[in-house]
Amino acid sequence: MFKKSLLAGVALSTMLTGAALAEGLSGDKVVIGVLTDLSGVYADVAGKGSIVAVEMAVADYGGKVLGKPIEILTADHQNKADIAVNIAREWIDTKGADTIVDLVTSSVGLGVQGVGGEKGIVTINSGAATVRLTQKECTATSFHWIYDTYSLAHVTPPSVVADGGDSWFIITADYAFGHSLEADATAVLGELGAKVVGSVRHPFPSADLSSFLLQAQSSGAKVVALANAGQDTINSVKQAAEFGLVAGGQKLVALLAFLSDIHSIGLELGQGLLVTTGFYWDLDDETRSFSKKFFEKFGKMPTMVQAADYSATLHYLKAVEAAGTDDGKTVAAKMKEMPVKDAVIHDGKIAPNGRVIHDMYLMEVKKPSESTGEWDLYKLVKTVPGAQAFQDPAKSGCALSQ
């Protein structure tokens, strides 16, 4: 009898200790890590602008949560998964990181998400694109915020096929993101009755894409699709113009292009390109107000990755406040309960697999004659509801969605 009472007492003590640990803030503060590309091909897509966006979110929240300070860590992962994973472990183990955001580059996103799952730390991917993040590799504390390869494949290709683009050649960045986007696009094109006549993979990153573009040009495909991003996309579009690919009658499609990419390419070369995005600065009064403040701080309009970092950070802080703790699993559960509503995402919800479901937008790059200013680059073609744009969580393969 005594032994049973003793065991019961130990169990109760353990439960109470666990409950105590789940209350309040570890280290008496909240630590947010912004792990991004500060020097490589995605530095304009994310980079310093992502840090500014997170700083804006913290400031707009009031600089404190549960009456305690918020600390921001920053680092350059150099688009290398091993470097990113080592930084993430150091932040968690020695600096008390409670969440890690941005994670541009899919190999980085997958690696750090794995660490977060192991450590019980919230990871928020706004820059990484691979849909694998919310499939079998999902974790209880991982989130995918603004876009993914599934949504990119389900917004742009149907419009191009409907316009007569029934044969495709795909030029793919040779790493996790490119592979995922190529696979998703190929599947959609097959469902639409379009044919992929060929594909080729280029090293990541690539300054010279001439040999790959020549293969696409000689394929006879009506559509040449770019399954790459950032500087690789910029280089592809500029070099395609040099080879006269579009002038020769083929349609060039960038399956993923950011506002910073189009700004760099320019409207003369970029006009007519279709772009799928989860955010554009000139959509409505709320997006314009946020973007104007961002521009005042950074001198550029935000990309959808940078805007997503703002949205994700705000939502995370709201969840910490509501949960009364920075315990990763507790906060993650609270994040999924709460609607995502801010200047970036007006009416979003988070699925059990961590996928944020919200409207996506098909944009067309304006002609120079249609633009009224430096950042007036897109015109809205259509709005695609989140339930149509993103994969059904129940079909994702994520154990949390079963």
Side-chain angles (χ1 to χ4, degrees):
M1 186 71 177
F2 175 75
K3 185 175 181 181
K4 289 183 178 179
S5 298
L6 180 62
L7 289 173
V10 170
L12 178 61
S13 175
T14 301
M15 288 172 63
L16 290 172
T17 301
L21 287 173
E23 295 175 358
L25 302 181
S26 58
D28 225 25
K29 60 184 176 181
V30 165
V31 181
I32 301 171
V34 187
L35 190 49
T36 188
D37 174 10
L38 291 170
S39 57
V41 293
Y42 298 145
D44 287 338
V45 169
K48 292 180 181 178
S50 289
I51 296 171
V52 169
V54 171
E55 290 172 344
M56 283 179 62
V58 169
D60 287 352
Y61 197 75
K64 292 185 177 183
V65 60
L66 296 172
K68 301 297 182 179
I70 301 167
E71 180 182 347
I72 299 173
L73 307 173
T74 65
D76 182 0
H77 57 53
Q78 302 173 48
N79 293 307
K80 296 178 180 178
D82 57 341
I83 291 176
V85 165
N86 287 337
I87 293 171
R89 289 190 182 280
E90 179 189 358
W91 279 357
I92 296 166
D93 293 342
T94 68
K95 298 188 177 181
D98 297 300
T99 184
I100 301 177
V101 304
D102 192 78
L103 303 173
V104 68
T105 309
S106 289
S107 53
V108 165
L110 288 165
V112 174
Q113 177 165 296
V115 174
E118 171 194 332
K119 300 281 190 178
I121 295 297
V122 171
T123 55
I124 307 176
N125 275 280
S126 56
T130 179
V131 74
R132 288 168 54 190
L133 291 161
T134 51
Q135 294 181 331
K136 291 182 179 180
E137 293 173 67
C138 71
T139 77
T141 55
S142 61
F143 297 86
H144 205 178
W145 214 257
I146 197 74
Y147 77 109
D148 59 24
T149 54
Y150 185 96
S151 62
L152 298 175
H154 283 77
V155 176
T156 303
S159 292
V160 177
V161 173
D163 197 35
D166 58 5
S167 62
W168 292 56
F169 188 99
I170 304 176
I171 298 176
T172 303
D174 193 10
Y175 76 109
F177 152 67
H179 301 169
S180 183
L181 183 50
E182 179 186 340
D184 287 336
T186 299
V188 170
L189 291 169
E191 292 169 5
L192 295 169
K195 184 179 181 181
V196 177
V197 300
S199 64
V200 65
R201 292 178 174 178
H202 67 77
F204 167 72
S206 282
D208 183 5
L209 293 122
S210 56
S211 64
F212 310 107
L213 288 163
L214 286 171
Q215 289 182 58
Q217 192 171 36
S218 63
S219 71
K222 293 180 182 178
V223 181
V224 176
L226 305 175
N228 53 21
Q231 191 61 49
D232 284 340
T233 299
I234 294 169
N235 293 339
S236 297
V237 174
K238 288 183 175 179
Q239 290 169 28
E242 293 173 7
F243 288 114
L245 190 144
V246 175
Q250 290 175 296
K251 185 174 184 63
L252 187 64
V253 171
L255 292 173
L256 174 59
F258 297 96
L259 188 70
S260 54
D261 302 336
I262 302 303
H263 184 265
S264 180
I265 291 166
L267 296 184
E268 191 62 43
L269 294 182
Q271 60 183 305
L273 274 176
L274 292 175
V275 175
T276 296
T277 186
F279 173 85
Y280 179 51
W281 72 269
D282 200 20
L283 274 173
D284 55 46
D285 289 342
E286 286 187 273
T287 59
R288 282 188 286 271
S289 177
F290 159 72
S291 299
K292 180 180 178 182
K293 293 176 183 177
F294 182 91
F295 185 86
E296 289 170 353
K297 294 180 179 295
F298 193 59
K300 299 176 182 179
M301 286 299 181
T303 66
M304 70 166 160
V305 171
Q306 293 158 349
D309 285 324
Y310 174 88
S311 171
T313 302
L314 265 184
H315 192 78
Y316 173 80
L317 293 173
K318 291 175 185 175
V320 170
E321 191 85 45
T325 178
D326 57 4
D327 173 72
K329 290 185 178 179
T330 306
V331 174
K334 184 62 67 174
M335 288 174 72
K336 292 177 183 178
E337 292 175 10
M338 301 166 59
V340 181
K341 187 172 178 59
D342 51 57
V344 175
I345 297 176
H346 302 339
D347 186 23
K349 63 179 181 179
I350 304 178
N353 63 347
R355 174 69 261 165
V356 180
I357 308 294
H358 60 92
D359 290 346
M360 293 291 286
Y361 309 97
L362 180 63
M363 300 285 186
E364 182 179 337
V365 178
K366 289 185 173 182
K367 299 175 183 176
S369 60
E370 296 173 321
S371 177
T372 60
E374 181 183 3
W375 293 96
D376 182 24
L377 303 178
Y378 295 164
K379 54 185 177 184
L380 180 64
V381 176
K382 67 177 179 180
T383 299
V384 180
Q388 180 182 333
F390 293 100
Q391 184 176 36
D392 180 352
K395 298 179 180 179
S396 67
C398 172
L400 300 170
S401 296
Q402 305 307 309

